[in-house]
Amino acid sequence: MILGCHVSMSGDKMLLGAAQQAVSYGANTMMIFTGAPQNSRRKPTSQMNITQGWHYLKQHQIQRIMGHAPYIINLGNTKDLSKYEFAIDFLQAEVQRCAALQIEALSFHPGAHVGLGAPVAIKSIAQGLQEVLKSQPQVKIALETMSGKGTEIGATFEQLAQIIDLTPNNEQLTITFDTCHVHDAGYDIVNDFDGVLLEFDKIIGLDRLAMIHLNDSKNGRGSHKDRHTNIGFGQIGFKALNYICHHPQLAAIPKIMETPYVPLAQNPKKAVAPYASEIKMLQEQQFDPQMQQRLSSS
């Protein structure tokens, strides 16, 4: 089972610090942003402590790391061409940073149509991705399944398949399957995950699956809300997420948790990462109904 979580690459340690976090949680894979997800400020890769980071990762038998593109990129918005061109340029630079960091796949929110309509946005997303992919980068771009809030593109497998089909150089175009997003988009992964997986395979293909974001959801199926919660404490539940995590067809796929930190009872302004407890639960296949309470009082 390849199971890990999102960790922070910040401060002077950068990749080394992120690797140390992942190991402290018992993870054997991890996902990082190359910088803050809400802005375009990035350190040069020469300052990201890559050599030391990878030395530490290999010491602890971590061979595969994932990336996440910042939220500021929207290839679905062509109302302002300068912003569209910025999105392409920044994604190109992000892919180059990921290559330097030896990231396997970059999870990427396809974009939102901002009133232009889904067909227009799907074409512009494919055109933007083609600009990035025509240079044949080594890093995979993993289109993320979305919940469908607002004017998001990618809430259906069909939309993601259309983007792939419209991108000529699509060999490195893959998919991130986010359990919270897919559930909130309306797919019944709680009662019929195998059926959803079969549908995904028919429309997109399991060979395109790069990673799974393993998250519970605060909201019901089809809510289009996109609000993550801790494993077993949401509307998807531990049984379904544990089944996905241990699914034999997904054994080689990295599973990344992006669940929220748990506020401390004595100081609600501070919070602690739940990942060590969540990884332990999934490894032991045993739900701890007091996990959040136990963490909050620690």
Side-chain angles (χ1 to χ4, degrees):
M1 185 171 62
I2 306 168
L3 180 62
C5 53
H6 175 249
V7 289
S8 174
M9 191 172 72
S10 58
D12 293 331
K13 286 188 174 181
M14 295 298 283
L15 184 60
L16 175 60
Q20 289 170 336
Q21 280 183 58
V23 169
S24 76
Y25 301 141
N28 58 11
T29 186
M30 68 183 200
M31 183 176 72
I32 55 174
F33 287 105
T34 66
Q38 296 90 1
N39 64 53
S40 60
R41 294 191 295 275
R42 295 292 183 270
K43 286 186 178 182
T45 54
S46 60
Q47 296 178 21
M48 290 184 178
N49 214 5
I50 295 171
T51 301
Q52 281 188 280
W54 267 104
H55 179 71
Y56 188 87
L57 287 165
K58 289 175 180 177
Q59 277 185 320
H60 293 85
Q61 288 75 53
I62 297 179
Q63 303 293 333
R64 302 170 70 182
I65 66 173
M66 307 292 125
H68 201 304
Y71 305 131
I72 56 172
I73 300 174
N74 183 6
L75 292 179
N77 181 9
T78 51
K79 283 185 176 180
D80 185 334
L81 288 179
S82 65
K83 290 182 180 179
Y84 181 66
E85 290 166 2
F86 161 80
I88 294 171
D89 292 343
F90 194 80
L91 183 57
Q92 285 176 325
E94 191 74 357
V95 167
Q96 291 169 2
R97 280 185 286 270
C98 287
L101 285 157
Q102 299 176 53
I103 284 171
E104 179 178 321
L106 178 67
S107 192
F108 174 68
H109 292 189
H113 67 70
V114 296
L116 295 171
V120 172
I122 286 168
K123 288 180 182 178
S124 68
I125 292 166
Q127 288 167 359
L129 287 169
Q130 174 61 16
E131 286 300 308
V132 177
L133 292 167
K134 67 183 182 182
S135 62
Q136 298 181 320
Q138 294 302 305
V139 177
K140 298 172 185 174
I141 296 178
L143 298 170
E144 190 165 332
T145 55
M146 303 306 294
S147 67
K149 71 177 189 293
T151 64
E152 281 179 341
I153 301 298
T156 68
F157 300 155
E158 287 83 0
Q159 286 188 341
L160 296 169
Q162 286 175 41
I163 293 170
I164 293 169
D165 290 342
L166 289 171
T167 307
N169 293 93
N170 63 20
E171 294 83 4
Q172 292 291 85
L173 207 49
T174 57
I175 300 291
T176 297
F177 187 109
D178 186 301
T179 55
C180 172
H181 296 176
V182 170
H183 167 82
D184 285 19
Y187 292 92
D188 191 0
I189 63 171
V190 175
N191 300 300
D192 188 22
F193 178 74
D194 284 328
V196 173
L197 197 63
L198 180 61
E199 184 178 354
F200 178 91
D201 191 28
K202 286 180 177 178
I203 296 169
I204 297 174
L206 277 174
D207 58 324
R208 293 268 185 189
L209 186 58
M211 71 183 94
I212 292 170
H213 287 175
L214 197 73
N215 302 303
D216 213 326
S217 173
K218 283 190 175 183
N219 298 102
R221 179 162 65 95
S223 62
H224 305 294
K225 294 287 187 182
D226 184 13
R227 295 190 68 196
H228 299 186
T229 196
N230 296 104
I231 303 295
F233 291 88
Q235 297 296 312
I236 300 173
F238 181 80
K239 183 180 178 181
L241 292 168
N242 181 65
Y243 181 77
I244 294 167
C245 192
H246 292 269
H247 199 286
Q249 285 183 274
L250 307 176
I253 306 298
K255 290 97 181 168
I256 302 289
M257 289 181 289
E258 306 169 298
T259 49
Y261 278 33
V262 177
L264 295 173
Q266 63 272 29
N267 186 359
K269 291 184 179 180
K270 289 189 177 181
V272 293
Y275 301 129
S277 295
E278 291 178 326
I279 287 170
K280 183 180 178 182
M281 284 197 308
L282 288 162
Q283 286 174 337
E284 296 177 354
Q285 302 192 62
Q286 184 67 45
F287 179 53
D288 176 5
Q290 272 75 51
M291 185 201 78
Q292 290 176 322
Q293 184 178 353
R294 182 167 47 78
L295 285 174
S296 68
S297 61
S298 62

